[in-house]
mmCIF file of all heavy atoms in Angstrom:
data_model
loop_
_atom_site.group_PDB
_atom_site.id
_atom_site.type_symbol
_atom_site.label_atom_id
_atom_site.label_comp_id
_atom_site.label_asym_id
_atom_site.label_seq_id
_atom_site.Cartn_x
_atom_site.Cartn_y
_atom_site.Cartn_z
ATOM 1 N N ASP Q 81 -7.274 -5.892 -10.265
ATOM 2 C CA ASP Q 81 -8.233 -5.945 -9.072
ATOM 3 C C ASP Q 81 -7.354 -6.187 -7.936
ATOM 4 O O ASP Q 81 -6.752 -7.280 -7.681
ATOM 5 C CB ASP Q 81 -9.313 -6.953 -9.235
ATOM 6 C CG ASP Q 81 -10.276 -6.879 -8.105
ATOM 7 O OD1 ASP Q 81 -9.851 -7.263 -6.972
ATOM 8 O OD2 ASP Q 81 -11.447 -6.417 -8.324
ATOM 9 N N VAL Q 82 -7.265 -5.204 -7.004
ATOM 10 C CA VAL Q 82 -6.314 -5.333 -5.882
ATOM 11 C C VAL Q 82 -6.712 -6.566 -5.005
ATOM 12 O O VAL Q 82 -5.863 -7.280 -4.461
ATOM 13 C CB VAL Q 82 -6.248 -4.088 -4.946
ATOM 14 C CG1 VAL Q 82 -5.566 -2.915 -5.717
ATOM 15 C CG2 VAL Q 82 -7.504 -3.719 -4.391
ATOM 16 N N PHE Q 83 -8.004 -6.799 -4.873
ATOM 17 C CA PHE Q 83 -8.403 -8.001 -4.035
ATOM 18 C C PHE Q 83 -7.990 -9.312 -4.804
ATOM 19 O O PHE Q 83 -7.539 -10.256 -4.095
ATOM 20 C CB PHE Q 83 -9.977 -7.983 -3.807
ATOM 21 C CG PHE Q 83 -10.384 -6.820 -2.966
ATOM 22 C CD1 PHE Q 83 -11.025 -5.770 -3.651
ATOM 23 C CD2 PHE Q 83 -9.975 -6.652 -1.622
ATOM 24 C CE1 PHE Q 83 -11.453 -4.610 -2.877
ATOM 25 C CE2 PHE Q 83 -10.321 -5.520 -0.933
ATOM 26 C CZ PHE Q 83 -11.073 -4.529 -1.445
ATOM 27 N N ASP Q 84 -8.172 -9.431 -5.999
ATOM 28 C CA ASP Q 84 -7.778 -10.683 -6.720
ATOM 29 C C ASP Q 84 -6.241 -10.805 -6.649
ATOM 30 O O ASP Q 84 -5.739 -11.925 -6.417
ATOM 31 C CB ASP Q 84 -8.116 -10.511 -8.299
ATOM 32 C CG ASP Q 84 -9.680 -10.695 -8.460
ATOM 33 O OD1 ASP Q 84 -10.310 -11.160 -7.605
ATOM 34 O OD2 ASP Q 84 -10.074 -10.270 -9.604
ATOM 35 N N ILE Q 85 -5.468 -9.804 -6.829
ATOM 36 C CA ILE Q 85 -3.971 -9.982 -6.877
ATOM 37 C C ILE Q 85 -3.552 -10.280 -5.308
ATOM 38 O O ILE Q 85 -2.569 -11.104 -5.251
ATOM 39 C CB ILE Q 85 -3.227 -8.822 -7.415
ATOM 40 C CG1 ILE Q 85 -3.378 -7.490 -6.672
ATOM 41 C CG2 ILE Q 85 -3.587 -8.693 -8.971
ATOM 42 C CD1 ILE Q 85 -2.655 -6.319 -7.252
ATOM 43 N N VAL Q 86 -4.145 -9.840 -4.375
ATOM 44 C CA VAL Q 86 -3.786 -10.164 -3.026
ATOM 45 C C VAL Q 86 -4.074 -11.530 -2.677
ATOM 46 O O VAL Q 86 -3.402 -12.296 -2.119
ATOM 47 C CB VAL Q 86 -4.389 -9.155 -1.995
ATOM 48 C CG1 VAL Q 86 -4.160 -9.689 -0.519
ATOM 49 C CG2 VAL Q 86 -3.762 -7.709 -2.024
ATOM 50 N N LEU Q 87 -5.297 -11.976 -3.121
ATOM 51 C CA LEU Q 87 -5.725 -13.418 -2.940
ATOM 52 C C LEU Q 87 -4.799 -14.349 -3.651
ATOM 53 O O LEU Q 87 -4.412 -15.440 -3.125
ATOM 54 C CB LEU Q 87 -7.249 -13.538 -3.345
ATOM 55 C CG LEU Q 87 -8.198 -12.950 -2.392
ATOM 56 C CD1 LEU Q 87 -9.613 -13.045 -3.036
ATOM 57 C CD2 LEU Q 87 -8.099 -13.520 -0.937
ATOM 58 N N ASP Q 88 -4.467 -13.999 -4.772
ATOM 59 C CA ASP Q 88 -3.420 -14.831 -5.596
ATOM 60 C C ASP Q 88 -2.142 -14.884 -4.845
ATOM 61 O O ASP Q 88 -1.463 -16.054 -4.822
ATOM 62 C CB ASP Q 88 -3.215 -14.275 -6.946
ATOM 63 C CG ASP Q 88 -4.441 -14.515 -7.965
ATOM 64 O OD1 ASP Q 88 -5.325 -15.266 -7.687
ATOM 65 O OD2 ASP Q 88 -4.407 -13.680 -8.967
ATOM 66 N N LYS Q 89 -1.670 -13.762 -4.245
ATOM 67 C CA LYS Q 89 -0.374 -13.755 -3.603
ATOM 68 C C LYS Q 89 -0.553 -14.624 -2.352
ATOM 69 O O LYS Q 89 0.408 -15.389 -1.921
ATOM 70 C CB LYS Q 89 -0.038 -12.401 -3.202
ATOM 71 C CG LYS Q 89 1.338 -12.177 -2.549
ATOM 72 C CD LYS Q 89 2.476 -12.653 -3.485
ATOM 73 C CE LYS Q 89 3.781 -12.393 -2.734
ATOM 74 N NZ LYS Q 89 4.976 -12.683 -3.533
ATOM 75 N N ILE Q 90 -1.702 -14.613 -1.618
ATOM 76 C CA ILE Q 90 -1.827 -15.439 -0.465
ATOM 77 C C ILE Q 90 -1.685 -16.960 -0.850
ATOM 78 O O ILE Q 90 -1.052 -17.702 -0.124
ATOM 79 C CB ILE Q 90 -3.167 -15.217 0.198
ATOM 80 C CG1 ILE Q 90 -3.169 -13.803 0.867
ATOM 81 C CG2 ILE Q 90 -3.510 -16.268 1.287
ATOM 82 C CD1 ILE Q 90 -4.545 -13.305 1.312
ATOM 83 N N LYS Q 91 -2.359 -17.356 -2.042
ATOM 84 C CA LYS Q 91 -2.226 -18.754 -2.441
ATOM 85 C C LYS Q 91 -0.750 -19.060 -2.725
ATOM 86 O O LYS Q 91 -0.368 -20.221 -2.372
ATOM 87 C CB LYS Q 91 -3.052 -18.914 -3.655
ATOM 88 C CG LYS Q 91 -4.622 -18.903 -3.518
ATOM 89 C CD LYS Q 91 -5.296 -19.008 -4.798
ATOM 90 C CE LYS Q 91 -6.746 -18.782 -4.560
ATOM 91 N NZ LYS Q 91 -7.483 -18.725 -5.825
ATOM 92 N N LYS Q 92 0.002 -18.275 -3.340
ATOM 93 C CA LYS Q 92 1.400 -18.477 -3.633
ATOM 94 C C LYS Q 92 2.192 -18.666 -2.393
ATOM 95 O O LYS Q 92 3.119 -19.550 -2.228
ATOM 96 C CB LYS Q 92 1.887 -17.422 -4.483
ATOM 97 C CG LYS Q 92 1.467 -17.472 -5.983
ATOM 98 C CD LYS Q 92 2.116 -16.289 -6.803
ATOM 99 C CE LYS Q 92 1.555 -16.313 -8.175
ATOM 100 N NZ LYS Q 92 1.986 -15.219 -9.049
#
Side-chain angles (χ1 to χ4, degrees):
D81 181 294
V82 294
F83 296 109
D84 288 344
I85 63 176
V86 169
L87 291 173
D88 287 346
K89 184 64 175 182
I90 291 169
K91 288 176 190 173
K92 287 178 183 178

